[in-house]
Every structure is written in structure tokens, then in C-alpha cells.
Amino acid sequence: MKIRRIFSVFLLSVLLAALFLTPQAYALEEPTLDARNALLMDETNGRMLYGKAEKEKAYPASITKIMTALLVLEAVDRGDLSVSQPITASYEAANSIDEDSSTAGIEEGEVLTVEQLLYCLLLPSAADAANTLAEGVSGDIASFVELMNQKAESLSLKNTHFVNTYGRDDDMQYTTASDMAKLVQYAMKNQIFCDIVSTQYKRISETNLSGVRYYFSNNALVISSVDRREVEDYYYRYADGVMTGTSTEAGYNLAAYSDKGGMQLITVILGSTRDEQSGTKHHYTDAISLMDWCYDNLQYTVVQTAQTPVCEVPVSLSAAKDGVALVAQKDLYAVIPTEVSPEELTVEYLVPETVEAPVSQNQVIGQAVFSYHDVEYARCDLYAQSDVERSLLLLVLHRI
């Protein structure tokens, strides 16, 4: 591995480096997509592997419900709700829904648990479940929508705004492929969310007003059932969530998560179409094309092992040591082209020319940046491997 060492007292310039890779960086033939907007992200570090008009505003349709579910699950994490807690659907929750939206047939006065409502929300994409959960968290739908926008702001989703809980088309309800990928990346940190969106099929027990309900996921990428695939077959063996959304203005949208050999991808497709003659739904074929393109042409590999000294920085004001070795605390993985070996990457150590004692073990001293032909593929913080004590005598002499 080629090594270049760069000393700098001020590391602020590091923050200005590009966080995302562009598809041109790989010099690979790109897949042809039907969608207006698309983004493929390395889920591990949030790097963009492919983008098409990824920052252009678009209607989210039902993938809005990812944000709805996230806020409900955060209320569960805080202890404000429990997954077994019953919620009674109000008239507004059950009936103030656009007629073209999917529902679970929830009636006014019907009682379901938070868990049941989450499955209704994320598998059949039920708008009535979205509204009922919103009232369970905030008391009313309008207050919950305010929370949705506050959460979008806190996650730096700068081009995302909501006016309803379930994705009804509205000029003020919009997102981007880039923002939606960030939202999915954040939501996938919640284990309950992961469990639900990877579920193919769910039985919802009878309630006070309904018999047993049965639902398949609306995301055909995760459906391996032979009977179901006879109706619609887009099964992708590496897919493990999330959900789809369709509306007149939005077209066909999809947010998907996949994992092959540890390479975890988030794929967002917005504004795709359905072929009227063949019936082909291009949000699925677009997503499969992108995931196959990545898995066929890129590799997920370790570029820096944990606790292996990578460089040493001089230390002043210490009588015991002249320098301190720097290490990465965790193995650093990167997605790089298959034709490039990790040894061919260039690594730059962005560290100060010297540090003053005392130095604490695991104190962040700098960063390592891995690139190939001036394209950055990964970076990590570098930590002091050991403590370095300050010499009182040297400190006094320095002050004098």
C-alpha cells in the first residue's frame, strides 16, 4: 500500500473533502435506469456509489411511512409507548385518507397494538395505521407531522418536508433520493424496524371489530413464496427490506436494503414507471440492476486492521517518550473496484506535526484517508495507542 504522510496542525480542511463517490469515479459502465431519480449507498459508511438526479425533489408516496415508523419506534425506545400497548382508532384516523391510498380496513373504535399497527403500516402500507399510530404518539395527526419535520431537520434531510403521515401527494410533501437513503440508513439501526421490513408475511390477530388479517410485504424483492411469485416475481435473494410507494404524481418508488457477503447496500428509486404492455414494474428492475451492478463490479474489503500501528507522531513535553504510535480502533472496510487490490490504495495520514503531552490512550490524533487515483474510498480516525505522561520539568522550561 502506497503511503503519503501529511502533517497539519489544523484538520478543518479534512472536513471539506468530498464525502460521496460519484459513479464516474469507478470508470464502470453504468446501468440504464427508467427512474427519474436514484441513489445507491454503501450502508456501512453512507458513501454514494451511484447517483441519478439524487438531490432533485420528488414525491415520496408511501415510503413516507418509513419516517412515521421511525418516530413510533423512537417513542417505544423512550418508554412513551410499548409494542404491546393498545391504541384505539379515531374517526379521523380511519377516515381522513385519500381514496387511492392503501389501508388495512381499520374502523373507528377498533383497538390494535402498536406492534400490529406497525406491521399494517410497513407491510401492506396502510394509511389508516399511519394515522392511528400518529395519534397514539402525539395525540393528533397535525402534531405528529410537526415531529416528522423536526426529525427530518435533525437528520439534515434538507430537501424533505411532510404534510401527512402516509404519503398522499402534495406539493409540500417531498423528498430526494439522497435524503431518503439517509433516512433508511438511520432507520435500519432500529432492530424492530429491521425485523418488520424484512418480513415476507404476517398474520394479524383478530380485534374487537375485525377477524384475522393476513398481509404480504408490499416489497416484492423480499417475497420468496412460490405461490406469491406466480403473481408477481421480483424476488432478489440478497434483499432484506424496506418498502415501496406508488402514486399518480410520484410514479413507482422503492427503498431497498440488501446484503451480500457483508456488502450492505441501500437503494432508492423514485419516479419509475410500469410498462403498460408487459406489466413490468421498473422500480424493481431498476433496483435489481443497480444492486447487481455493484455486487458484480465492486468488492467489500478491509483496508486497515484494528490496533495495527500505522504511523508515529512526535510528542513534546514528555521525558518518557519521544513519540506515540497511532492506530485505528476498528477494522476499516471499504467498497472498491474489484480490479483494485487493497495494497494498491494510497493512504495519507492527516496528523499534526507534533502533539503536546499529556496524551491519553485512545485520544483522537488524526485521520487516515485511503484513495486510488485521487478518488477517496475510505477514511478513519487514528487514536493514540498508549498514554504519554507530561514532564513537569519540561513544562516549566517550556513556559520560561
Side-chain angles (χ1 to χ4, degrees), residues 192-211:
I192 297 176
F193 180 86
C194 293
D195 292 342
I196 295 175
V197 297
S198 63
T199 300
Q200 295 191 40
Y201 171 86
K202 184 67 176 178
R203 176 185 182 275
I204 305 295
S205 302
E206 63 182 17
T207 70
N208 59 322
L209 296 179
S210 172

Side-chain angles (χ1 to χ4, degrees), residues 46-62:
R47 291 180 181 274
M48 185 178 76
L49 306 175
Y50 174 93
K52 177 183 178 181
E54 70 277 0
K55 294 187 178 180
E56 180 182 286
K57 290 181 181 178
Y59 295 98
S62 286

Side-chain angles (χ1 to χ4, degrees), residues 5 21 23 36 46 128 173 223 257 261 294 316 327 343 366:
R5 183 170 179 176
L21 301 178
R36 290 190 298 266
D128 44 7
Q173 180 117 340
I223 302 298
Y257 172 83
C294 182
S316 62
V327 298
E343 291 73 22

